[in-house]
Amino acid sequence: MQSSGKIRVLVVDDSAVMRKLISRCLEQDSEIEVIATAIDGDFALSKIDQLKPDVVTLDVDMPRMDGITALSHIVAKHDIPVIMLSSLTARGAALTMRALEKGAVDFICKPGGPSQIGEMADELISKIKGASRGKLVAANNRLPDRRVVRRKAPCAPPIARAQKVIAIGASSGGPHALRYVLPRIPADLDACLLIVQHMPESFTSMLARWLDEICELEVREASEGDLIAPGRVLIAPACAHMKISAGPSGRVVTLERGGVVNGHMPSVDVLFRSVAAHYGARATGLIMTGMGSDGAQGLGEIKRARGRTFAQDKESCSVFGMPRVAIEKGFVDEIVPLAQMASCLVAAVGRVSPVEECYASIR
């Protein structure tokens, strides 16, 4: 950031209309200055070399040099946070996952038309401010692309009821952090992981598939009635709060499509409160990188129920917002760097022994 104190932003989009609209939105904020625009990745790279912006907003899908290719060059050469602008489609979601995999710090969905630009303005401004003040996830914290994992052969399909739960909440920077932590957790974890990651519709299912490819754990987007079983990771779908209820075979997932909580649906607070109520001292809560305060109060309820509570440390967060609020409120037992998070979670809940696993499969 230069002496003016403003966040200097380069806007990259092949649409002249979008470049103008995004620039106008950003310049309404006194802390942001749009220093230039570019029509594709090739022009963007030359302007980055020349102007050294603090943040780049980069369209995913562009002619000549697309956003994914441009991002690869930016990450390799510059220490500049990049926020991707994606279309709200399955293809857009897939490309966005690739961008996050390659080093983008966050993304935002483009509006359906010029009349809807105001709906994304506040979110984009917040993410630009968060990205400019946050820290990029270090390159050595990223896994190799498309790491192939040989899954452990279980004694039988997972039918045991989880006696312990790890509830995780994340927002900006969360996909990166989850991609680092989850592949380092063994399949015989003695707990079910329930995750709320703030994302738009069609993106959570893509996130689940993206993570499932590289994890020993089974990762999938949660559905109504899913059994909460050990070694399973369930990610809340967009536009539904994830809660727990009692079913005939054990506790199951309930999806509630109501109003937003803390500005979000799904909300981390809703999940954490439900986990605290159903699991008490057998619950573990983890709040990870993200903007805002969603999850702090719910983490406090897990702590009051005598569960374990963790927060990601400032140094490894892309945006130290959600963890900071929870820490300041005194709801966090332990502040953990990303590099140690998987081992801390495994230590907190333990692993299923072969005897227990086989017994569970024949009950």
Side-chain angles (χ1 to χ4, degrees):
M1 199 179 298
Q2 291 192 343
S3 57
S4 67
K6 291 190 176 185
I7 302 165
R8 304 168 67 252
V9 178
L10 171 65
V11 174
V12 186
D13 199 296
D14 64 313
S15 165
V17 172
M18 286 304 300
R19 290 196 303 274
K20 184 177 290 186
L21 289 172
I22 292 169
S23 298
R24 284 179 180 173
C25 286
L26 296 182
E27 288 178 337
Q28 291 175 5
D29 192 285
S30 60
E31 296 179 33
I32 294 175
E33 176 187 5
V34 176
I35 57 170
T37 63
I39 63 173
D40 62 25
D42 195 37
F43 279 106
L45 293 176
S46 64
K47 291 193 176 185
I48 289 170
D49 286 334
Q50 176 187 359
L51 301 173
K52 303 294 189 294
D54 299 309
V55 179
V56 175
T57 69
L58 184 60
D59 188 15
V60 170
D61 204 357
M62 297 181 293
R64 207 158 72 123
M65 182 186 287
D66 61 60
I68 303 296
T69 304
L71 174 68
S72 298
H73 288 294
I74 295 170
V75 169
K77 190 175 179 181
H78 303 280
D79 190 26
I80 297 173
V82 178
I83 297 173
M84 307 303 294
L85 272 71
S86 169
S87 60
L88 192 58
T89 63
R91 181 175 183 274
L95 289 172
T96 300
M97 289 301 108
R98 284 183 58 199
L100 293 173
E101 194 172 88
K102 289 182 177 296
V105 299
D106 212 330
F107 73 95
I108 190 168
C109 288
K110 297 170 76 170
S115 62
Q116 298 174 350
I117 190 72
E119 297 175 13
M120 77 165 222
D122 290 344
E123 183 183 2
L124 181 57
I125 287 169
S126 295
K127 289 191 173 185
I128 286 172
K129 290 180 178 180
S132 72
R133 294 164 185 162
K135 296 181 184 293
L136 296 177
V137 178
N140 62 3
N141 278 351
R142 298 190 186 113
L143 291 167
D145 289 350
R146 300 299 181 195
R147 190 180 71 162
V148 177
V149 173
R150 185 179 298 278
R151 290 185 186 274
K152 175 181 69 72
C155 291
I159 62 171
R161 293 173 291 178
Q163 300 301 313
K164 302 170 189 173
V165 159
I166 298 172
I168 299 175
S171 188
S172 300
H176 268 313
L178 291 170
R179 187 173 185 270
Y180 180 80
V181 173
L182 293 186
R184 291 168 169 81
I185 297 177
D188 58 354
L189 184 77
D190 191 18
C192 181
L193 284 84
L194 302 177
I195 299 175
V196 166
Q197 165 67 54
H198 295 156
M199 293 184 108
E201 256 185 302
S202 79
F203 282 71
T204 47
S205 60
M206 195 67 66
L207 174 67
R209 289 197 292 272
W210 183 55
L211 292 170
D212 189 59
E213 290 179 356
I214 58 171
C215 290
E216 292 184 27
L217 298 159
E218 174 199 11
V219 185
R220 69 187 194 205
E221 186 181 52
S223 298
E224 181 74 22
D226 273 344
L227 182 66
I228 297 173
R232 176 175 288 175
V233 181
L234 300 174
I235 299 177
C239 298
H241 297 300
M242 183 161 65
K243 302 173 76 172
I244 298 169
S245 64
S249 301
R251 292 184 178 90
V252 297
V253 164
T254 297
L255 300 178
E256 185 179 279
R257 289 171 173 81
V260 298
V261 176
N262 299 326
H264 297 284
M265 186 167 62
S267 164
V268 181
D269 266 335
V270 171
L271 172 63
F272 282 3
R273 285 170 178 150
S274 186
V275 164
H278 283 270
Y279 283 87
R282 292 173 291 122
T284 297
L286 167 63
I287 196 156
M288 300 181 77
T289 175
M291 289 180 290
S293 61
D294 189 28
Q297 294 298 331
L299 199 71
E301 293 197 20
I302 292 176
K303 185 176 176 65
R304 284 189 287 273
R306 300 177 64 187
R308 297 284 301 278
T309 59
F310 297 91
Q312 186 175 347
D313 74 343
K314 182 178 181 180
E315 288 68 30
S316 66
C317 278
S318 293
V319 181
F320 189 59
M322 288 161 54
R324 177 185 57 78
V325 175
I327 292 165
E328 289 176 352
K329 289 182 178 293
F331 297 152
V332 175
D333 293 327
E334 191 172 347
I335 302 169
V336 183
L338 196 64
Q340 298 174 19
M341 201 167 285
S343 59
C344 282
L345 293 177
V346 174
V349 300
R351 299 168 75 165
V352 178
S353 72
V355 172
E356 289 173 332
E357 187 177 53
C358 289
Y359 174 74
S361 72
I362 61 175
R363 281 192 306 183

